Amino acid sequence: MIEFHRVTKTYKGTRALDEVSFTVPPGTVTGFLGPNGAGKSTAMRILAGLCRPTSGSAIVLGRPYAELERPAYDVGTLLDAGARHPGRSGREVLTLGAMMLGLPRSRVDEVLELVGLTGKEGRQAVGGYSLGMRQRLGIGHALLGRPRALILDEPANGLDPQGIQWMRELLRGLAGSGCAVLLSSHLLHEVEQVADHIVLIGAGRVLAQGTPAELGGGRSLEQTFLDLTSHADRRTA
Ligand SMILES: Nc1ncnc2c1ncn2[C@@H]1O[C@H](COP(=O)(O)OP(=O)(O)OP(=O)(O)O)[C@@H](O)[C@H]1O
């Protein structure tokens, strides 16, 4: 379970998040949508313990991230797919990750297979990877420890149609095995296809949440998104 309880974050006069509350139950995928600057990355960074909320609490698997006993196993994160050493191969990146977690090398092979970076692609230096390959590697890194919660910021960014379909099946499979998945995206149609639940934020506030059908209310999700977000103004901190 992932839970946000009235999370507010202010940066020197900017209220990046304003009393944000929602939950992601185990076994479900929640799509986190909002225009540029809405606060999605800030919320995910708080959840992953990378910054503190000004007030409120972000809870993953029952505790704030910083209080988890085995966070690297329990919570998989993809927050910046570009943040990898360019000289290392994909296999080396995952091998280092597996060593840090005390996982056997066989887990690296499993994950390379899972994310479709086998053979030559796994041995290639990350600096030469396409954006889609970096995303696959980042997703693989997040999955190493078989986490029960996944926090994915724009995982579909740079994936081709086959890659997007692969990711959809992967996320549905993970949710099917009980994982709580939170993913942000600008690809509304894609989120509509994969998410059980959608949280729409604008200017730091939750504007709407519900199933894709509830949010669309007979219209396209895109129309709902444009209608709600065009009127959202940030409150001053
Ligand atoms: N470290 C920071 N210092 C100051 N302001 C910040 C910082 N990080 C984010 N912000 C501000 O907080 C607000 C929310 O930004 P955030 O990156 O969370 O949005 P986002 O929804 O992830 O946007 P995008 O879709 O463009 O990635 C923006 O106004 C942004 O400028």
Side-chain angles (χ1 to χ4, degrees):
M1 178 91 108
I2 292 170
E3 303 160 74
F4 285 87
H5 297 287
R6 302 182 67 181
V7 173
T8 293
K9 176 72 181 177
T10 55
Y11 293 108
K12 289 187 187 153
T14 302
R15 199 184 292 242
L17 295 174
D18 192 353
E19 303 254 330
V20 165
S21 296
F22 67 91
T23 60
V24 182
T28 63
V29 177
T30 289
F32 197 24
L33 303 179
N36 291 132
K40 304 178 296 295
S41 299
T42 301
M44 290 176 137
R45 287 173 58 79
I46 289 173
L47 193 58
L50 295 173
C51 63
R52 287 169 175 273
T54 306
S55 62
S57 55
I59 306 287
V60 57
L61 304 174
R63 298 184 194 184
Y65 187 93
E67 293 175 20
L68 289 169
E69 279 171 21
R70 308 186 330 150
Y73 289 89
D74 292 334
V75 186
T77 58
L78 172 68
L79 296 175
D80 183 357
R84 306 274 168 217
H85 192 297
R88 294 206 174 104
S89 70
R91 174 177 285 279
E92 285 168 343
V93 168
L94 293 185
T95 302
L96 279 173
M99 282 167 65
M100 304 256 287
L101 296 179
L103 297 168
R105 278 175 186 258
S106 57
R107 182 62 185 151
V108 174
D109 292 311
E110 282 171 13
V111 169
L112 285 168
E113 183 81 38
L114 192 64
V115 300
L117 292 174
T118 46
K120 199 173 73 166
E121 294 191 322
R123 293 192 300 272
Q124 194 178 325
V126 172
Y129 272 21
S130 66
L131 180 54
M133 288 165 78
R134 278 171 211 229
Q135 294 285 36
R136 285 173 181 267
L137 180 63
I139 293 168
H141 200 268
L143 294 178
L144 272 173
R146 295 193 174 84
R148 288 180 291 140
L150 261 184
I151 306 166
L152 305 173
D153 198 0
E154 298 279 350
N157 197 8
L159 292 181
D160 58 20
Q162 284 91 339
I164 287 181
Q165 189 184 2
W166 161 79
M167 198 188 67
R168 187 189 304 156
E169 286 166 11
L170 178 75
L171 297 184
R172 287 305 334 162
L174 290 164
S177 63
C179 193
V181 183
L182 176 64
L183 88 145
S184 74
S185 180
H186 288 114
L187 303 175
L188 302 188
H189 178 66
E190 181 42 37
V191 171
E192 206 169 9
Q193 302 275 314
V194 75
D196 302 286
H197 195 82
I198 288 175
V199 175
L200 177 55
I201 68 166
R205 292 198 301 280
V206 174
L207 302 175
Q209 52 180 310
T211 64
E214 283 165 356
L215 250 74
R219 299 174 304 167
S220 70
L221 181 61
E222 184 178 25
Q223 196 56 55
T224 304
F225 179 95
L226 292 172
D227 285 354
L228 289 174
T229 56
S230 61
H231 300 302
D233 292 319
R234 200 177 293 282
R235 280 192 286 192
T236 48

